[in-house]
Amino acid sequence: MTNFTRTILKRIRLKRQFLGYSQEYVGFKLGICQEAYGKIERGQTELTTDRLSDIADIFEVNILSLII
């Protein structure tokens, strides 16, 4: 995993925590279980651009705010 990917995953985790969302809640909104979502945050499952876009929508932020 690249440092760039690690940075994005860290931003996702921090934003989720800031919003007070659980992994279970975000997973539910994505249509996946908490365990599957947790694997995304830990980098054990590839984060696709479509999935990143879905996460940004759940957080109600622009996808760029999770990237840069």
Side-chain angles (χ1 to χ4, degrees):
M1 178 181 347
T2 66
N3 284 336
F4 181 68
T5 301
R6 281 189 195 96
T7 300
I8 293 171
L9 296 176
K10 182 177 180 180
R11 286 185 182 136
I12 289 171
R13 180 178 48 82
L14 292 173
K15 184 66 172 177
R16 176 184 59 77
Q17 291 171 335
F18 175 79
L19 293 169
Y21 294 167
S22 66
Q23 286 186 345
E24 183 177 18
Y25 174 77
V26 178
F28 171 78
K29 297 294 275 183
L30 291 171
I32 59 178
C33 67
Q34 177 275 324
E35 183 179 335
Y37 178 75
K39 286 183 178 183
I40 292 171
E41 276 194 10
R42 291 189 300 275
Q44 296 172 336
T45 299
E46 181 181 359
L47 177 63
T48 64
T49 53
D50 287 339
R51 184 65 81 191
L52 181 60
S53 177
D54 292 342
I55 292 169
D57 288 346
I58 292 166
F59 293 170
E60 297 181 0
V61 297
N62 187 303
I63 192 171
L64 291 176
S65 71
L66 299 175
I67 296 173
I68 56 173

Coordinates of all heavy atoms in Angstrom, one line a residue:
M1 N 0.8 -1.2 0.0 CA 0.0 0.0 0.0 C 0.9 1.2 0.0 O 1.9 1.3 0.8 CB -0.9 0.0 1.2 CG -1.8 1.1 1.4 SD -2.9 1.2 2.8 CE -2.8 -0.4 3.5
T2 N 0.5 2.2 -0.8 CA 1.3 3.4 -0.9 C 1.0 4.4 0.2 O 0.0 4.3 0.9 CB 1.1 4.1 -2.2 OG1 -0.3 4.6 -2.2 CG2 1.3 3.2 -3.4
N3 N 1.9 5.3 0.5 CA 1.7 6.4 1.5 C 0.4 7.2 1.1 O -0.3 7.6 2.0 CB 2.9 7.3 1.6 CG 4.0 6.6 2.4 OD1 3.8 5.7 3.2 ND2 5.2 7.1 2.2
F4 N 0.2 7.4 -0.2 CA -0.9 8.2 -0.6 C -2.2 7.4 -0.2 O -3.2 8.1 0.3 CB -0.9 8.3 -2.2 CG -2.0 9.1 -2.7 CD1 -2.2 10.5 -2.5 CD2 -2.9 8.5 -3.5 CE1 -3.2 11.2 -3.0 CE2 -4.0 9.2 -4.1 CZ -4.1 10.6 -3.8
T5 N -2.3 6.1 -0.4 CA -3.4 5.4 -0.1 C -3.6 5.4 1.5 O -4.8 5.5 1.9 CB -3.3 3.9 -0.6 OG1 -3.2 3.9 -2.0 CG2 -4.5 3.1 -0.2
R6 N -2.6 5.2 2.2 CA -2.6 5.3 3.7 C -3.2 6.6 4.1 O -4.0 6.7 5.1 CB -1.3 5.1 4.3 CG -0.8 3.6 4.3 CD 0.5 3.5 5.2 NE 1.0 2.2 4.9 CZ 2.0 2.0 4.0 NH1 2.6 3.0 3.4 NH2 2.5 0.7 3.8
T7 N -2.8 7.7 3.5 CA -3.3 9.0 3.8 C -4.8 9.1 3.6 O -5.5 9.7 4.4 CB -2.5 10.1 3.1 OG1 -1.1 10.0 3.4 CG2 -3.0 11.5 3.4
I8 N -5.2 8.6 2.5 CA -6.7 8.7 2.1 C -7.5 7.9 3.2 O -8.5 8.3 3.7 CB -6.9 8.2 0.7 CG1 -6.4 9.1 -0.3 CG2 -8.4 8.0 0.5 CD1 -6.4 8.6 -1.7
L9 N -7.0 6.7 3.5 CA -7.7 5.8 4.4 C -7.7 6.5 5.8 O -8.7 6.4 6.5 CB -7.0 4.4 4.5 CG -7.1 3.6 3.2 CD1 -6.3 2.3 3.4 CD2 -8.5 3.4 2.8
K10 N -6.7 7.1 6.2 CA -6.6 7.8 7.5 C -7.6 9.0 7.5 O -8.4 9.2 8.5 CB -5.2 8.3 7.8 CG -5.1 9.0 9.1 CD -3.7 9.5 9.4 CE -3.6 10.1 10.8 NZ -2.2 10.6 11.1
R11 N -7.7 9.7 6.4 CA -8.7 10.8 6.3 C -10.1 10.3 6.4 O -11.0 10.9 7.0 CB -8.5 11.6 5.0 CG -7.3 12.4 5.0 CD -7.2 13.3 3.7 NE -6.0 14.1 3.8 CZ -5.2 14.2 2.8 NH1 -5.4 13.7 1.6 NH2 -4.1 15.0 2.9
I12 N -10.4 9.1 5.8 CA -11.7 8.5 5.8 C -12.0 8.2 7.3 O -13.1 8.5 7.8 CB -11.8 7.3 4.9 CG1 -11.8 7.8 3.4 CG2 -13.0 6.5 5.2 CD1 -11.6 6.6 2.5
R13 N -11.1 7.5 7.9 CA -11.3 7.1 9.3 C -11.6 8.3 10.2 O -12.5 8.4 11.0 CB -10.2 6.3 9.9 CG -10.4 5.8 11.3 CD -9.2 4.9 11.8 NE -7.9 5.5 11.5 CZ -7.3 6.4 12.3 NH1 -7.9 6.9 13.4 NH2 -6.1 6.9 12.0
L14 N -10.7 9.3 10.1 CA -10.9 10.5 10.9 C -12.2 11.3 10.7 O -12.8 11.7 11.6 CB -9.7 11.4 10.7 CG -8.3 10.9 11.3 CD1 -7.2 11.9 10.8 CD2 -8.4 10.8 12.8
K15 N -12.5 11.4 9.4 CA -13.8 12.0 9.0 C -15.0 11.3 9.6 O -15.9 11.8 10.2 CB -13.9 12.2 7.5 CG -15.1 13.0 7.1 CD -15.1 14.4 7.5 CE -16.2 15.2 6.9 NZ -16.2 16.6 7.4
R16 N -14.9 9.9 9.5 CA -16.0 9.1 10.0 C -16.2 9.3 11.5 O -17.3 9.5 12.1 CB -15.8 7.6 9.7 CG -16.8 6.7 10.3 CD -16.5 5.2 10.1 NE -15.2 4.8 10.6 CZ -14.9 4.6 11.9 NH1 -15.9 4.7 12.8 NH2 -13.7 4.2 12.3
Q17 N -15.0 9.3 12.2 CA -15.0 9.5 13.7 C -15.5 10.9 14.0 O -16.3 11.1 15.0 CB -13.6 9.2 14.2 CG -13.3 7.8 14.2 CD -11.8 7.5 14.5 OE1 -11.0 8.4 14.4 NE2 -11.5 6.3 15.0
F18 N -15.1 11.9 13.3 CA -15.5 13.3 13.5 C -17.0 13.4 13.4 O -17.7 14.1 14.2 CB -14.8 14.2 12.6 CG -15.3 15.6 12.7 CD1 -14.8 16.5 13.7 CD2 -16.2 16.2 11.8 CE1 -15.2 17.8 13.8 CE2 -16.6 17.5 11.9 CZ -16.1 18.3 12.9
L19 N -17.6 12.7 12.4 CA -19.0 12.8 12.2 C -19.8 11.9 13.2 O -21.0 12.0 13.3 CB -19.4 12.3 10.8 CG -18.9 13.2 9.7 CD1 -19.1 12.5 8.3 CD2 -19.7 14.5 9.7
G20 N -19.1 11.1 14.0 CA -19.7 10.2 15.0 C -20.4 9.0 14.4 O -21.2 8.4 15.0
Y21 N -19.9 8.7 13.2 CA -20.5 7.5 12.5 C -19.7 6.2 12.9 O -18.4 6.3 12.9 CB -20.4 7.6 11.0 CG -21.2 8.7 10.4 CD1 -21.0 9.1 9.1 CD2 -22.2 9.4 11.1 CE1 -21.8 10.1 8.5 CE2 -23.0 10.4 10.5 CZ -22.8 10.7 9.2 OH -23.5 11.7 8.6
S22 N -20.4 5.2 13.1 CA -19.7 3.9 13.4 C -19.3 3.2 12.0 O -19.9 3.6 11.0 CB -20.6 3.0 14.2 OG -21.7 2.6 13.4
Q23 N -18.4 2.3 12.1 CA -18.1 1.5 10.9 C -19.4 0.7 10.5 O -19.6 0.6 9.3 CB -17.0 0.5 11.2 CG -15.6 1.1 11.2 CD -14.5 0.1 11.4 OE1 -14.8 -1.1 11.6 NE2 -13.3 0.5 11.1
E24 N -20.2 0.3 11.4 CA -21.4 -0.4 11.1 C -22.4 0.5 10.3 O -23.0 0.0 9.3 CB -22.1 -0.9 12.4 CG -23.3 -1.7 12.1 CD -23.9 -2.3 13.4 OE1 -23.6 -1.8 14.5 OE2 -24.7 -3.2 13.3
Y25 N -22.5 1.7 10.7 CA -23.4 2.6 10.0 C -22.9 2.9 8.6 O -23.7 2.8 7.7 CB -23.5 4.0 10.8 CG -24.3 5.0 10.1 CD1 -25.7 5.0 10.1 CD2 -23.6 6.0 9.4 CE1 -26.4 5.9 9.4 CE2 -24.4 7.0 8.7 CZ -25.7 6.9 8.7 OH -26.5 7.9 8.0
V26 N -21.6 3.2 8.4 CA -21.1 3.5 7.1 C -21.2 2.2 6.2 O -21.6 2.3 5.1 CB -19.7 4.0 7.1 CG1 -19.1 4.2 5.7 CG2 -19.6 5.3 7.9
G27 N -20.9 1.1 6.8 CA -21.1 -0.2 6.0 C -22.5 -0.4 5.6 O -22.8 -0.7 4.4
F28 N -23.5 -0.1 6.5 CA -24.9 -0.2 6.2 C -25.3 0.7 5.0 O -25.9 0.3 4.1 CB -25.7 0.1 7.4 CG -27.2 0.2 7.1 CD1 -28.0 -1.0 6.9 CD2 -27.8 1.4 7.0 CE1 -29.3 -0.9 6.7 CE2 -29.2 1.5 6.7 CZ -29.9 0.4 6.5
K29 N -24.8 1.9 5.1 CA -25.1 2.9 4.0 C -24.5 2.4 2.7 O -25.0 2.8 1.6 CB -24.6 4.3 4.4 CG -25.3 4.9 5.6 CD -26.7 5.2 5.4 CE -26.9 6.5 4.7 NZ -28.3 6.9 4.5
L30 N -23.4 1.7 2.7 CA -22.7 1.2 1.5 C -23.3 -0.1 1.1 O -23.0 -0.6 0.0 CB -21.2 1.0 1.8 CG -20.4 2.3 2.0 CD1 -19.0 1.9 2.4 CD2 -20.3 3.1 0.7
G31 N -24.1 -0.7 1.9 CA -24.7 -2.0 1.5 C -23.8 -3.2 1.8 O -23.9 -4.2 1.2
I32 N -22.8 -3.0 2.8 CA -21.9 -4.0 3.1 C -21.9 -4.1 4.7 O -22.4 -3.3 5.4 CB -20.5 -3.8 2.6 CG1 -19.9 -2.4 3.2 CG2 -20.5 -3.8 1.1 CD1 -18.5 -2.1 2.7
C33 N -21.3 -5.2 5.2 CA -21.3 -5.4 6.6 C -20.2 -4.6 7.2 O -19.3 -4.1 6.5 CB -21.2 -6.9 7.0 SG -19.6 -7.6 6.5
Q34 N -20.2 -4.4 8.5 CA -19.2 -3.6 9.3 C -17.8 -4.2 9.0 O -16.8 -3.5 8.8 CB -19.5 -3.6 10.8 CG -18.5 -2.9 11.6 CD -17.3 -3.8 12.0 OE1 -17.5 -5.0 12.3 NE2 -16.1 -3.2 12.1
E35 N -17.7 -5.5 9.0 CA -16.4 -6.2 8.8 C -15.8 -5.8 7.5 O -14.6 -5.5 7.4 CB -16.5 -7.7 9.0 CG -15.2 -8.4 8.8 CD -15.4 -9.9 9.0 OE1 -16.3 -10.4 9.6 OE2 -14.5 -10.6 8.5
A36 N -16.6 -5.8 6.4 CA -16.2 -5.5 5.1 C -15.7 -4.0 5.0 O -14.7 -3.7 4.4 CB -17.3 -5.7 4.1
Y37 N -16.5 -3.1 5.7 CA -16.1 -1.7 5.7 C -14.8 -1.5 6.5 O -13.9 -0.8 6.1 CB -17.2 -0.8 6.3 CG -16.8 0.6 6.4 CD1 -16.7 1.3 5.2 CD2 -16.3 1.2 7.6 CE1 -16.2 2.6 5.2 CE2 -15.8 2.4 7.6 CZ -15.8 3.2 6.4 OH -15.3 4.5 6.5
G38 N -14.7 -2.2 7.6 CA -13.4 -2.1 8.4 C -12.2 -2.5 7.6 O -11.2 -1.9 7.7
K39 N -12.4 -3.5 6.7 CA -11.3 -4.0 5.9 C -10.9 -2.9 4.9 O -9.7 -2.7 4.6 CB -11.6 -5.2 5.1 CG -11.6 -6.5 6.0 CD -11.9 -7.7 5.2 CE -11.8 -8.9 6.2 NZ -12.0 -10.2 5.4
I40 N -11.9 -2.1 4.4 CA -11.6 -1.0 3.6 C -10.7 0.0 4.3 O -9.7 0.5 3.8 CB -12.9 -0.3 3.0 CG1 -13.6 -1.2 2.1 CG2 -12.5 1.0 2.3 CD1 -15.0 -0.7 1.7
E41 N -11.1 0.4 5.5 CA -10.4 1.4 6.3 C -9.0 0.9 6.7 O -8.1 1.7 6.8 CB -11.1 1.8 7.6 CG -12.2 2.8 7.4 CD -12.7 3.4 8.7 OE1 -12.1 3.1 9.8 OE2 -13.7 4.1 8.7
R42 N -8.8 -0.4 6.9 CA -7.5 -0.9 7.2 C -6.6 -1.2 6.0 O -5.5 -1.6 6.1 CB -7.7 -2.2 8.0 CG -8.2 -1.9 9.4 CD -8.1 -3.2 10.3 NE -8.9 -4.3 9.7 CZ -10.2 -4.5 9.9 NH1 -10.9 -3.6 10.6 NH2 -10.8 -5.5 9.4
G43 N -7.2 -1.0 4.8 CA -6.4 -1.2 3.6 C -6.3 -2.7 3.2 O -5.5 -3.1 2.4
Q44 N -7.2 -3.5 3.8 CA -7.2 -4.9 3.4 C -8.0 -5.3 2.2 O -8.0 -6.4 1.7 CB -7.6 -5.8 4.7 CG -6.7 -5.6 5.8 CD -7.2 -6.3 7.1 OE1 -8.4 -6.4 7.2 NE2 -6.3 -6.6 8.0
T45 N -8.9 -4.3 1.8 CA -9.7 -4.4 0.7 C -9.4 -3.2 -0.2 O -9.3 -2.1 0.4 CB -11.2 -4.5 1.0 OG1 -11.5 -5.6 1.8 CG2 -12.1 -4.5 -0.2
E46 N -9.3 -3.4 -1.5 CA -9.0 -2.2 -2.4 C -10.1 -1.2 -2.3 O -11.3 -1.5 -2.4 CB -8.8 -2.7 -3.8 CG -8.5 -1.6 -4.8 CD -8.3 -2.1 -6.2 OE1 -8.5 -3.3 -6.4 OE2 -8.1 -1.3 -7.1
L47 N -9.7 0.0 -2.2 CA -10.6 1.2 -2.2 C -10.7 1.7 -3.7 O -9.8 2.3 -4.2 CB -10.1 2.3 -1.3 CG -10.9 3.6 -1.3 CD1 -12.3 3.3 -0.8 CD2 -10.3 4.6 -0.5
T48 N -11.8 1.4 -4.3 CA -12.0 1.8 -5.7 C -12.5 3.3 -5.7 O -13.0 3.8 -4.7 CB -13.1 0.9 -6.4 OG1 -14.3 1.1 -5.7 CG2 -12.7 -0.5 -6.4
T49 N -12.4 3.9 -6.8 CA -12.9 5.3 -6.9 C -14.4 5.4 -6.8 O -14.9 6.3 -6.2 CB -12.5 5.9 -8.3 OG1 -12.9 5.1 -9.4 CG2 -11.0 6.1 -8.4
D50 N -15.1 4.3 -7.2 CA -16.6 4.3 -7.0 C -16.9 4.2 -5.5 O -17.8 4.9 -5.0 CB -17.2 3.1 -7.8 CG -17.2 3.3 -9.3 OD1 -17.2 4.5 -9.7 OD2 -17.4 2.3 -10.0
R51 N -16.2 3.4 -4.8 CA -16.4 3.2 -3.4 C -16.0 4.5 -2.6 O -16.7 4.9 -1.7 CB -15.6 2.0 -2.8 CG -15.9 1.7 -1.4 CD -17.3 1.3 -1.1 NE -17.4 -0.1 -1.5 CZ -18.6 -0.8 -1.6 NH1 -19.7 -0.2 -1.4 NH2 -18.6 -2.1 -1.9
L52 N -14.9 5.1 -3.0 CA -14.5 6.4 -2.4 C -15.6 7.4 -2.7 O -15.9 8.2 -1.7 CB -13.2 6.8 -3.0 CG -12.6 8.1 -2.4 CD1 -12.4 8.0 -0.9 CD2 -11.3 8.4 -3.1
S53 N -16.1 7.5 -3.8 CA -17.2 8.4 -4.2 C -18.4 8.2 -3.3 O -19.0 9.1 -2.8 CB -17.6 8.3 -5.6 OG -18.6 9.2 -5.9
D54 N -18.8 6.9 -3.1 CA -19.9 6.6 -2.2 C -19.7 7.0 -0.8 O -20.6 7.5 -0.1 CB -20.2 5.1 -2.3 CG -20.7 4.5 -3.6 OD1 -21.1 5.4 -4.4 OD2 -20.6 3.3 -3.8
I55 N -18.4 6.8 -0.3 CA -18.1 7.2 1.1 C -18.2 8.7 1.2 O -18.7 9.3 2.2 CB -16.7 6.7 1.5 CG1 -16.8 5.2 1.6 CG2 -16.2 7.3 2.8 CD1 -15.4 4.5 1.7
A56 N -17.7 9.5 0.2 CA -17.8 10.9 0.2 C -19.2 11.4 0.2 O -19.6 12.3 1.0 CB -17.1 11.5 -1.0
D57 N -20.1 10.7 -0.5 CA -21.5 11.0 -0.5 C -22.1 10.8 0.9 O -22.9 11.6 1.4 CB -22.3 10.2 -1.5 CG -22.0 10.6 -2.9 OD1 -21.5 11.7 -3.2 OD2 -22.4 9.8 -3.8
I58 N -21.8 9.7 1.6 CA -22.3 9.4 2.9 C -21.8 10.5 3.9 O -22.6 11.0 4.7 CB -21.8 8.0 3.4 CG1 -22.5 7.0 2.5 CG2 -22.1 7.8 4.9 CD1 -21.9 5.6 2.7
F59 N -20.6 10.9 3.7 CA -20.0 12.0 4.6 C -20.5 13.4 4.2 O -20.2 14.4 4.9 CB -18.5 11.9 4.6 CG -17.9 10.7 5.2 CD1 -16.5 10.5 5.0 CD2 -18.6 9.8 5.9 CE1 -15.9 9.3 5.6 CE2 -18.0 8.6 6.5 CZ -16.7 8.4 6.3
E60 N -21.2 13.5 3.0 CA -21.6 14.8 2.5 C -20.5 15.7 2.3 O -20.5 16.9 2.6 CB -22.7 15.4 3.4 CG -24.0 14.5 3.4 CD -25.1 15.1 4.3 OE1 -24.9 16.2 4.8 OE2 -26.1 14.5 4.3
V61 N -19.4 15.2 1.7 CA -18.2 16.0 1.3 C -17.9 15.7 -0.1 O -18.3 14.8 -0.7 CB -17.0 15.7 2.2 CG1 -17.3 16.0 3.7 CG2 -16.5 14.3 2.1
N62 N -17.1 16.7 -0.7 CA -16.5 16.5 -2.0 C -15.4 15.4 -1.9 O -14.7 15.4 -1.0 CB -15.9 17.8 -2.5 CG -15.5 17.8 -3.9 OD1 -14.7 16.9 -4.3 ND2 -16.0 18.7 -4.7
I63 N -15.4 14.5 -2.9 CA -14.4 13.5 -2.9 C -13.0 14.0 -2.8 O -12.1 13.4 -2.2 CB -14.6 12.6 -4.2 CG1 -13.8 11.3 -4.1 CG2 -14.2 13.4 -5.4 CD1 -14.1 10.3 -5.2
L64 N -12.8 15.2 -3.3 CA -11.4 15.8 -3.3 C -11.0 16.1 -1.8 O -9.8 16.0 -1.5 CB -11.3 17.1 -4.1 CG -11.4 16.9 -5.6 CD1 -11.4 18.3 -6.3 CD2 -10.3 16.0 -6.1
S65 N -11.9 16.3 -0.9 CA -11.5 16.6 0.4 C -11.0 15.3 1.1 O -10.3 15.4 2.1 CB -12.7 17.1 1.2 OG -13.7 16.1 1.4
L66 N -11.3 14.2 0.6 CA -10.7 12.9 1.1 C -9.4 12.6 0.5 O -8.6 11.7 1.0 CB -11.7 11.8 0.9 CG -13.1 11.9 1.6 CD1 -14.0 10.8 1.3 CD2 -12.9 12.0 3.1
I67 N -9.1 13.2 -0.6 CA -7.9 12.9 -1.4 C -6.8 13.9 -1.1 O -5.6 13.5 -0.9 CB -8.2 12.9 -2.9 CG1 -9.1 11.7 -3.2 CG2 -6.9 12.7 -3.7 CD1 -9.6 11.7 -4.6
I68 N -7.1 15.2 -1.1 CA -6.1 16.2 -0.9 C -6.3 17.0 0.4 O -7.2 16.9 1.1 CB -6.0 17.2 -2.0 CG1 -7.4 17.9 -2.3 CG2 -5.6 16.5 -3.3 CD1 -7.3 19.0 -3.3

